[in-house]
């Protein structure tokens, strides 16, 4: 496309390079075309596989119900150049160049979309039978493990740990989940909200051991710090993820306390002509009055539209768009569909809708009479209505919110 522009005597077309071929990277490239960008677009991914979606890895791919989850995108038709199996080694913003295994790559505008990488359990590097679940290759390695119905120990009772335990039980494995905290989802939800979820493990035939730390992993066993030994044909580690930004060392790009790229309200970084989106970047939320680092699929879907619009807008002089979404994610675990919208950290009121020991219930968080966060278990209508109420900042009536028979949208003040 740039060659065509130059042949007609116009200015050279800009080249946008996107680093990272996950959801955020693919959507950034696609959104550029959807919003009318006619310059060159190059998408660089470290994995050799055709770009794919990650959520199915812990479900359909892991259980052998699907061979993969490649995005349904015709990159060639969109004029998007793919460079797969190409690791990016560094960035020199002053020269507008990336350093890669295949040599330097120049850019006019750069989008950082390298996502996050799982945190490894200390002392288990290279230990046979210890697995992570982040990539397609990880899922392919774990699929035969589940098929052989090994005893499996899952380290970490967060979202990914619960989802993997669900799949392992469905495959017929004996599963033990060990969690250092006193409850599942300790880093994501308040104690009183996460507490009812502990019963889900036993209901599914999964042993949940809290206050449990791994001392070491031996062949066929996990040894806890209290000396107990758990049989383990395989160990799956799900103790969190950190932004994949180590390659930016020495680049001058500002990183935050979690080593994430610090982006502004328009998703621009501290370097000129460099944007950041998805799991690798935090952004300031005017809605919540703090900087957010969101490691969820919807953020990787929504942010690229803002980035693409702002890149296209640079050429037309349009004012840059602000990125300030209502965060959203979902999880399927132990036969339940769990959804969350918003951000509850600064809430001053917690209200329940329904019985948390039952199959369907919700929790609403308010601040100064307005809904700021909502967790819905088996109540998708609450989530859909609540998300819109959070977006609008609508004043709510606390008494009516607490009536689960009343639609949430009817509980406004």
């Amino acid at each position: 496309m740039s060659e065509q522009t130059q042949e007609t005597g116009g200015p050279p077309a800009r080249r946008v390079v996107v680093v990272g071929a996950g959801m955020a990277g693919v959507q950034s490239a696609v959104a550029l075309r959807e919003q009318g960008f006619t310059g060159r677009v190059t998408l660089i991914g470290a994995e050799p596989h055709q770009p794919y979606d990650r959520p199915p890895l812990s479900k359909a791919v892991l259980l052998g119900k699907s061979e993969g989850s490649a995005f349904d995108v015709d990159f060639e038709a969109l004029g998007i150049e793919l460079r797969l199996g190409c690791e990016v080694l560094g960035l020199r913003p002053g020269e507008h160049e990336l350093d890669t295994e295949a040599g330097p790559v120049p850019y006019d505008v750069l989008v950082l979309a390298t996502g996050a990488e799982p945190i490894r359990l200390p002392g288990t590097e290279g230990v046979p039978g210890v697995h992570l679940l982040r990539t397609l290759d990880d899922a392919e390695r774990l699929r035969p493990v589940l098929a052989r119905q090994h005893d499996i120990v899952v380290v970490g009772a967060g979202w990914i740990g619960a989802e993997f335990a669900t799949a392992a039980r469905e495959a017929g494995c004996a599963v033990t989940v060990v969690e250092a905290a006193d409850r599942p989802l300790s880093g994501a939800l308040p104690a009183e909200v996460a507490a009812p979820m502990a019963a889900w493990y036993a209901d599914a035939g999964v042993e949940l051991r809290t206050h449990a730390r791994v001392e070491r992993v031996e062949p066929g066993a996990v040894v806890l710090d209290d000396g107990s030994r758990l049989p383990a044909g395989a160990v799956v580690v799900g103790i969190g993820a950190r932004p994949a930004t180590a390659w930016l060392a020495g680049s001058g790009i500002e990183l935050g306390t979690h080593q994430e790229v610090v982006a502004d309200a328009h998703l621009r970084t501290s370097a000129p002509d460099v944007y950041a989106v998805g799991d690798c970047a935090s952004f300031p939320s005017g809605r919540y009055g703090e900087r957010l680092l969101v490691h969820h699929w919807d953020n990787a879907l929504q942010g690229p539209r803002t980035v693409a619009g702002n890149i296209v807008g640079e050429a037309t002089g349009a004012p840059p768009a602000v990125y300030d979404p209502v965060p959203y994610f979902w999880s399927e675990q132990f036969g339940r569909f769990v959804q969350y919208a918003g951000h509850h950290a600064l809430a001053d009121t917690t209200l329940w809708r329904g019985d948390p020991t039952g199959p369907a219930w919700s929790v609403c968080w308010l601040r100064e009479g307005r809904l700021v966060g909502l967790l819905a278990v088996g109540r998708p209508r609450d989530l859909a209505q609540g998300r819109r109420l959070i977006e609008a900042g609508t004043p709510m009536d606390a008494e009516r919110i607490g009536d689960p028979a009343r639609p949430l949208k009817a509980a406004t003040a």
Side-chain angles (χ1 to χ4, degrees), residues 10-382:
R14 291 187 302 165
R15 175 177 183 171
V16 176
V17 175
V18 182
V19 182
M23 170 61 80
V26 167
Q27 289 299 320
S28 294
V30 171
L32 282 165
R33 293 298 188 224
E34 290 177 342
Q35 298 190 37
F37 182 78
T38 58
R40 294 181 63 184
V41 178
T42 301
L43 181 63
I44 300 177
E47 294 183 55
H49 309 291
Q50 193 74 4
Y52 61 89
D53 203 6
R54 293 190 189 278
L57 297 184
S58 62
K59 306 173 185 71
V61 175
L62 193 60
L63 291 170
K65 298 177 181 179
S66 172
E67 290 303 314
S69 55
F71 291 113
D72 185 17
V73 175
D74 190 335
F75 294 99
E76 185 177 357
L78 290 172
I80 297 170
E81 176 193 4
L82 287 181
R83 294 193 182 185
L84 303 177
C86 180
E87 186 176 355
V88 176
L89 306 175
L91 168 62
R92 289 173 285 119
E95 289 78 29
H96 276 57
E97 278 192 342
L98 286 168
D99 290 318
T100 77
E101 290 177 321
V105 177
Y107 65 85
D108 295 305
V109 181
L110 180 66
V111 180
L112 306 178
T114 47
E117 54 195 7
I119 297 172
R120 297 181 179 275
L121 187 65
T124 61
E125 187 77 33
V127 175
V130 178
H131 301 263
L132 300 169
L133 181 53
R134 183 68 178 178
T135 69
L136 182 60
D137 289 340
D138 292 336
E140 293 291 350
R141 281 189 289 267
L142 276 164
R143 189 154 62 179
V145 172
L146 266 59
R148 290 193 293 269
Q149 298 185 336
H150 281 297
D151 290 336
I152 291 179
V153 173
V154 180
V155 183
W159 300 112
I160 191 66
E163 290 181 2
F164 180 82
T166 299
R169 282 299 297 146
E170 185 176 336
C173 300
V175 182
T176 302
V177 177
V178 297
E179 168 58 50
D182 62 349
R183 63 188 187 277
L185 296 169
S186 62
L189 296 173
E192 69 273 15
V193 177
M197 298 177 174
W200 299 356
Y201 288 76
D203 291 346
V206 175
E207 181 182 1
L208 173 63
R209 300 189 59 159
T210 57
H211 299 287
R213 294 184 178 276
V214 175
E215 180 71 28
R216 64 185 182 277
V217 177
E218 298 178 349
V222 171
V223 181
L224 302 182
D225 60 357
D226 64 359
S228 58
R229 297 170 60 86
L230 306 176
V235 180
V236 177
V237 179
I239 55 176
R242 61 168 62 93
T245 58
W247 67 279
L248 290 169
S251 69
I253 296 282
E254 181 184 357
L255 301 181
T257 55
H258 300 283
Q259 295 302 296
E260 84 282 8
V261 178
V262 174
D264 68 8
H266 312 296
L267 297 180
R268 296 177 301 205
T269 74
S270 60
D273 303 316
V274 181
Y275 291 81
V277 68
D279 291 5
C280 73
S282 65
F283 57 90
S285 171
R287 185 189 313 278
Y288 292 106
E290 61 180 292
R291 180 167 286 276
L292 299 182
L293 176 59
V294 180
H295 282 184
H296 293 296
W297 186 90
D298 191 65
N299 179 53
L301 175 67
Q302 303 295 340
R305 297 169 184 167
T306 299
V307 167
N310 288 340
I311 292 173
V312 172
E314 289 174 5
T316 63
V322 170
Y323 185 62
D324 195 7
V326 174
Y328 166 74
F329 71 91
W330 79 95
S331 176
E332 297 176 75
Q333 52 184 269
F334 308 120
R336 294 167 173 83
F337 187 44
V338 184
Q339 296 172 284
Y340 178 96
H343 181 63
H344 68 268
L346 298 179
D348 53 34
T349 303
T350 302
L351 299 170
W352 294 76
R353 288 169 58 81
D355 180 0
T357 64
W361 48 276
S362 297
V363 179
C364 297
W365 288 278
L366 278 68
R367 179 172 174 81
E368 298 177 354
R370 288 174 166 79
L371 193 64
V372 294
L374 184 142
L375 176 78
V377 177
R379 291 181 66 98
R381 186 173 298 178
D382 275 5

